[in-house]
Amino acid sequence: MESNNYELNNYSEDRNIIEEITEGSIAEELEIEPGDILLTINDIPVKDIIDYKYLVSDDYLIVAIEKKDGEIWELEIEKDFDEDLGLIFTNPLIDKAKSCRNKCMFCFVDQLPPNMRQTLYFKDDDSRLSFLQGNFITLTNMSDDEIDRIIRYRLSPINVSVHTTNPELRIKMLNNKNAGRIYDILKRFKDANLEVNCQIVLVPGVNDGEELNRTLSDLKNLYPTVESIAVVPVGITKYRDGLYDVKPFTKEDSKELLEFVSNKQSEFLEEIGTRFVFASDEFFATTDKELPSYDKYEGFPQLENGVGLMKSFEDEIVKELDKIKVPINNKKKYIIATGTLAFKFIESIKDKIIKKFSELEIVVVPIVNRFFGETITVSGLVTGEDLVAQLKNYKDIDGIIIPNSMLKRDEEIFLDNLTLVEVSEKLDIPVIPSKVEGKSLIDIIKN
C-alpha cells in the first residue's frame, strides 16, 4: 500500500486570493472573507507562501487586504508569536509553481498516456513545495539567489532527488547541464545546518553498483545535514516510445540491491550511528524477502517515499487487533483490492484479521495494471477502469476496500478520471477507501 502523491491543482495563479478562512481564527474575527486579496504584511509585498510564513510569524502586524469591491483595508493585528492568521489561499504557493526543466531518462510524467487530467502532466520542481508538501526536487532549476533564499529563510527539511553525485552522470540522467552542481549545493546546506532527506531513483546499469556506492559515500560525508536516503526502483510504464531505453529491476537485481544496502547500513551504523540509507518496500516485495524489524527503520524518516510503509501498516494492524479480546461476529464478505506488488503482503494481513472476526470472509484481489502496463505494480497507480474490469464478475460482496492512495489527495477520483461513485455504480458494490493505516482498515471491517 502506498501514500498519495501531491497533485498541484492551481499552479498558475500568482495573486494572493483568499479561498477560505479558518473557523475561529484571527482572520474570521477581522471579517476577512473568501475572495479578498492579501496585499502586504508590514508594508512588504507577499511574493509567495514562504514570504507569508516568514512575515506572519511576528507578534505585531499591519496587514493590507483588498476587498472584493476594491476597497483597501489596513488591519493592525497583535497576536502570539508564530500564531497563524487563518488564511487559506486558492494557490497554496501564492505564486506560479516552477515547472521542471529536466528531461530525466526515468521521468514518470513523460510515460503517462494521453487524455488524462491536465494537472497530472505538470512537472513541479519547486523548493517551496518540498518545504510545504514534502515533494522531492532536483535543485537544477534554481539560481544562486534562490539557493540563498532557502538558506536565509531556513526552509527545512527539504527533500532532494539526488540520484547520483557524479556530476557527469547526473547531467546525463537529468539531461540538464546544471545538474552537476548538486554536491556543491548540498555542501552549502550543510554549512547552514539545514535538514535534508535524499532520494535516489535507481536505474539498473546506470546509477547502481559502484556509482551508487560513490553517491552514498559522498552523502555520508554530509551527515547529519543529510539525515536519510531512500533508494527506490525506477518505474516503467508501457508508454515509453522515443524515450531512453530503461530496464526494470528483476528479482535478482532486487536481491543484490538489498544485500548491498544491508551491508552499507551496517557500515554506516558503525561509522555515524545510523543506518542512514533505506531501500523502498518495492525491493522487498519483489524478492519476497522478509521486511526488516520495526526498529531498523529508525522512526520511518522516508515513509512518504514508500520506505517502511508495509512494516508500519503491519504494526498498526497488529496493535488494533490486540485490542479485540473476544472474536467479533461479522457475517460479511469483503474484497481488498491491491496492486500486484503488495498481494502477498495483504494476504498475510488478511490472515491476521480473520482470526479476530468470526464468519468474516475477505478475498484479496491483485489488480493487474492494464492502464499503465503490467510493469506498474503499486496500488497507488491502479485506475478505476482496471478495478471495474477485474472485479465485475464478483457476486455477493458487501464492499470493496481500496487504499485511498488510489484516489486524488483531495477528491474521490481515480487517475483515469472515474469517480469513486462511478466505480461503485458500475460494480454495483460499495467501494470503500481506507487510509493506509491499520486503524482505518480495522474500523471499516468492524463497522
Side-chain angles (χ1 to χ4, degrees):
M1 305 179 84
E2 303 81 26
S3 59
N4 296 63
N5 290 320
Y6 180 68
E7 185 181 338
L8 191 62
N9 288 318
N10 184 358
Y11 51 80
S12 60
E13 179 62 69
D14 59 0
R15 294 181 301 161
N16 312 333
I17 300 174
I18 297 163
E19 181 176 52
E20 191 178 335
I21 305 297
T22 304
E23 188 175 346
S25 66
I26 293 171
E28 184 182 57
E29 184 181 338
L30 294 172
E31 298 182 358
I32 299 173
E33 299 172 305
D36 293 349
I37 297 174
L38 172 66
L39 299 177
T40 62
I41 297 177
N42 294 338
D43 294 324
I44 300 172
V46 180
K47 175 186 173 185
D48 61 15
I49 192 65
I50 303 306
D51 278 345
Y52 174 76
K53 294 282 188 184
Y54 183 75
L55 293 169
V56 83
S57 63
D58 285 345
D59 51 12
Y60 176 78
L61 307 174
I62 298 176
V63 176
I65 296 286
E66 181 181 332
K67 300 297 287 182
K68 284 180 282 189
D69 62 3
E71 184 181 359
I72 306 297
W73 286 9
E74 273 204 353
L75 304 169
E76 293 187 34
I77 300 171
E78 291 187 24
K79 65 179 188 61
D80 293 336
F81 185 76
D82 274 350
E83 182 183 3
D84 192 54
L85 298 182
L87 303 178
I88 299 171
F89 299 95
T90 57
N91 177 358
L93 291 180
I94 322 181
D95 190 20
K96 292 181 180 178
K98 293 182 179 177
S99 62
C100 180
R101 295 196 296 271
N102 303 324
K103 190 70 174 175
C104 297
M105 62 171 61
F106 50 79
C107 178
F108 196 81
V109 176
D110 288 342
Q111 303 177 70
L112 293 178
N115 303 318
M116 300 179 73
R117 58 181 178 269
Q118 198 57 40
T119 51
L120 292 169
Y121 298 102
F122 179 75
K123 305 180 191 179
D124 80 76
D125 196 20
D126 200 309
S127 60
R128 298 164 298 186
L129 285 174
S130 179
F131 174 62
L132 293 169
Q133 304 288 349
N135 294 21
F136 279 80
I137 59 172
T138 64
L139 299 175
T140 57
N141 305 311
M142 303 185 70
S143 66
D144 286 335
D145 286 344
E146 289 170 314
I147 298 294
D148 289 339
R149 189 166 183 253
I150 288 176
I151 293 170
R152 182 171 69 253
Y153 280 0
R154 303 199 60 77
L155 301 187
S156 181
I158 190 165
N159 296 327
V160 181
S161 291
V162 174
H163 310 314
T164 178
T165 52
N166 179 335
E168 292 78 18
L169 179 59
R170 195 167 194 263
I171 289 170
K172 177 184 175 182
M173 292 185 71
L174 275 60
N175 198 20
N176 186 322
K177 65 182 181 180
N178 297 317
R181 303 170 54 220
I182 184 66
Y183 196 70
D184 291 336
I185 296 173
L186 291 176
K187 282 197 290 187
R188 290 183 63 188
F189 289 167
K190 178 177 173 62
D191 292 340
N193 295 315
L194 299 183
E195 298 172 26
V196 179
N197 294 300
C198 293
Q199 168 185 260
I200 298 171
V201 175
L202 212 57
V203 181
V206 178
N207 61 335
D208 55 356
E210 284 305 311
E211 289 293 348
L212 178 59
N213 192 52
R214 168 185 172 159
T215 300
L216 295 181
S217 297
D218 285 345
L219 294 177
K220 187 258 296 185
N221 293 332
L222 299 178
Y223 178 82
T225 284
V226 174
E227 296 185 326
S228 68
I229 306 167
V231 179
V232 303
V234 62
I236 300 174
T237 79
K238 63 185 180 183
Y239 298 95
R240 287 199 61 86
D241 289 348
L243 300 178
Y244 191 91
D245 185 20
V246 172
K247 305 296 183 187
F249 269 84
T250 65
K251 186 173 184 178
E252 194 57 42
D253 291 335
S254 296
K255 282 182 178 177
E256 290 179 11
L257 183 279
L258 289 175
E259 184 176 353
F260 173 81
V261 168
S262 179
N263 290 336
K264 295 302 290 187
Q265 286 183 326
S266 299
E267 178 185 318
F268 291 146
L269 197 58
E270 187 172 333
E271 290 182 12
I272 58 177
T274 172
R275 291 173 180 81
F276 194 49
V277 59
F278 303 90
S280 73
D281 292 357
E282 292 162 80
F283 289 110
F284 290 95
T286 300
T287 60
D288 298 329
K289 186 175 173 63
E290 186 177 347
L291 293 168
S293 60
Y294 188 92
D295 62 301
K296 289 184 178 178
Y297 284 101
E298 298 186 9
F300 300 89
Q302 296 262 8
L303 197 64
E304 290 296 315
N305 220 347
V307 177
L309 200 59
M310 291 198 297
K311 175 56 70 174
S312 175
F313 182 71
E314 180 184 51
D315 182 75
E316 291 166 358
I317 287 287
V318 170
K319 286 178 179 176
E320 288 301 312
L321 292 177
D322 282 347
K323 296 175 184 177
I324 302 174
K325 303 305 180 184
V326 178
I328 298 172
N329 185 269
N330 186 344
K331 202 170 185 178
K332 298 275 188 179
K333 186 173 183 179
Y334 291 108
I335 286 174
I336 298 181
T338 183
T340 55
L341 185 74
F343 171 63
K344 290 184 179 179
F345 171 72
I346 300 298
E347 275 276 292
S348 71
I349 295 296
K350 176 203 77 172
D351 292 342
K352 290 178 172 64
I353 292 172
I354 59 177
K355 291 177 182 177
K356 293 286 187 172
F357 293 84
S358 59
E359 298 192 78
L360 174 68
E361 288 186 66
I362 296 177
V363 179
V364 181
V365 180
I367 303 298
V368 177
N369 202 315
R370 312 288 187 200
F371 189 86
F372 289 106
E374 294 184 23
T375 50
I376 298 299
T377 58
V378 296
S379 303
L381 294 175
V382 168
T383 59
E385 69 178 52
D386 277 337
L387 284 173
V388 171
Q390 295 172 52
L391 298 178
K392 63 185 178 183
N393 293 326
Y394 285 87
K395 305 298 180 187
D396 301 320
I397 301 294
D398 293 293
I400 297 169
I401 302 172
I402 63 168
N404 66 350
S405 58
M406 290 183 187
L407 302 171
K408 193 177 174 186
R409 181 187 292 260
D410 56 355
E411 194 176 349
E412 291 186 334
I413 185 171
F414 292 89
L415 283 165
D416 57 356
N417 283 335
L418 282 179
T419 67
L420 191 69
V421 170
E422 286 171 336
V423 172
S424 297
E425 288 175 348
K426 287 173 182 288
L427 290 168
D428 198 25
I429 305 170
V431 180
I432 309 161
S434 170
K435 294 179 183 177
V436 190
E437 299 168 358
K439 185 178 188 306
S440 179
L441 178 59
I442 299 303
D443 283 349
I444 287 169
I445 292 170
K446 279 164 60 174
N447 295 329

